Amino acid sequence: MQRMKIGIMGGTFNPIHNGHLLLGEMAYEQFGLDKVLIMPTKHPYYKDISGNIMEKDRVAMVQLAVNDNPHFEFSALELNREGTTYTVDTLEELHQKFPENDYYFILGKDSLDYLESWKDVTRIFELCKIIAASRDDLDGKIDEKIAYLNRKYHAEIFRLYSPNLEISSSYLRKELSTGKSCRYLVPDSVLAYIKENRLYG
Ligand code: NAP
């Protein structure tokens, strides 16, 4: 059987936005992935899930956002695991359940900067390849960082070239809380869900 190339895009997705979706789509295309799992995080140890948003709302927004893209698949793998969420545990679980696949973890540049502090990073590099996006890389620092990590850990980190959409979930939360439209920053279906359920004030 041919090995499948599975992208994993994890995040708190509070809320999911067009920057996340563009990143997933670009990774799908540039790396010839078979699909991209969009995987909401349960309990990140490094941040609170702000805004009194319930897990069911993050899930509903992710499901709405991925619905119209056949390259994407919602994954509840981390939501179904209790305790603090660590990427290494997710990768171990995927390898145990589906050893026939190759995994590509998709990351933003900010995450790449902290990757060395993640739990069992050496094991992470054994279990997956990394696709690293640059939000903005005017000084070429991302290439240096990738080369450094690849050398030090014998990792396989690749750069993703993607248009730079300066959208962040924290910016959206702020704008929504003051009644701003946010149209074209998140999918229409997600925006409708936010309004219907009066999320983010
Ligand atoms: P997030 O804030 O929800 O963002 C998800 C990803 O999308 C991040 O890599 C982020 O990159 C990227 N992104 C967001 N907006 C973007 C835009 N406009 N353009 C390009 N990229 C954009 O998620 P997160 O909290 O960083 O977590 C990401 C994943 O890393 C999760 O699966 C989490 O569990 C995992 N993680 C694991 C550990 C660990 O195991 N120790 C530690 C930390 C994170 P930026 O980083 O550039 O915002």
Side-chain angles (χ1 to χ4, degrees):
M1 202 204 305
Q2 213 192 334
R3 296 178 76 77
M4 292 240 284
K5 294 167 78 174
I6 308 294
I8 305 167
M9 189 153 168
T12 41
F13 301 128
N14 183 23
I16 191 161
H17 57 67
N18 288 345
H20 296 130
L21 298 170
L22 180 71
L23 192 56
E25 182 68 8
M26 291 278 149
Y28 172 86
E29 274 200 331
Q30 282 176 40
F31 291 86
L33 304 179
D34 291 286
K35 66 178 165 187
V36 178
L37 303 178
I38 311 286
M39 190 181 286
T41 310
K42 191 164 183 88
H43 294 303
Y45 71 90
Y46 53 94
K47 65 176 167 191
D48 289 332
I49 301 202
S50 40
N52 287 332
I53 293 301
M54 287 190 286
E55 186 177 294
K56 76 165 184 45
D57 291 320
R58 290 191 296 127
V59 167
M61 290 189 282
V62 170
Q63 283 175 327
L64 286 167
V66 306
N67 261 352
D68 68 345
N69 188 334
H71 310 155
F72 293 163
E73 188 177 299
F74 166 75
S75 169
L77 191 91
E78 291 189 343
L79 299 174
N80 292 337
R81 199 170 67 231
E82 286 308 320
T84 307
T85 310
Y86 292 108
T87 298
V88 69
D89 299 336
T90 305
L91 291 166
E92 294 283 13
E93 196 177 334
L94 282 169
H95 272 271
Q96 254 168 30
K97 287 186 175 152
F98 311 104
E100 67 279 14
N101 295 335
D102 291 326
Y103 295 98
Y104 292 71
F105 200 84
I106 303 162
L107 279 182
K109 158 75 168 59
D110 296 358
S111 305
L112 190 68
D113 283 339
Y114 297 105
L115 193 55
E116 276 191 284
S117 67
W118 289 20
K119 185 182 169 205
D120 293 343
V121 71
T122 311
R123 182 71 181 139
I124 290 179
F125 291 138
E126 287 167 7
L127 294 170
C128 72
K129 303 180 197 334
I130 305 271
I131 296 175
S134 54
R135 278 191 157 156
D136 186 0
D137 190 38
L138 300 175
D139 54 4
K141 282 273 186 305
I142 187 167
D143 289 330
E144 272 175 35
K145 183 81 190 183
I146 289 175
Y148 159 80
L149 291 170
N150 282 345
R151 224 177 16 248
K152 180 167 174 189
Y153 296 95
H154 303 290
E156 287 181 273
I157 307 176
F158 304 101
R159 173 138 178 217
L160 176 75
Y161 292 89
S162 162
N164 188 17
L165 284 193
E166 268 305 327
I167 311 172
S168 72
S169 297
S170 56
Y171 170 79
L172 287 169
R173 290 195 298 274
K174 188 161 79 44
E175 294 296 280
L176 289 163
S177 74
T178 57
K180 300 280 174 24
S181 118
C182 294
R183 192 160 182 208
Y184 306 122
L185 301 178
V186 296
D188 287 346
S189 55
V190 174
L191 201 52
Y193 183 92
I194 290 171
K195 303 257 145 110
E196 265 162 39
N197 293 279
R198 298 168 184 275
L199 306 182
Y200 308 109

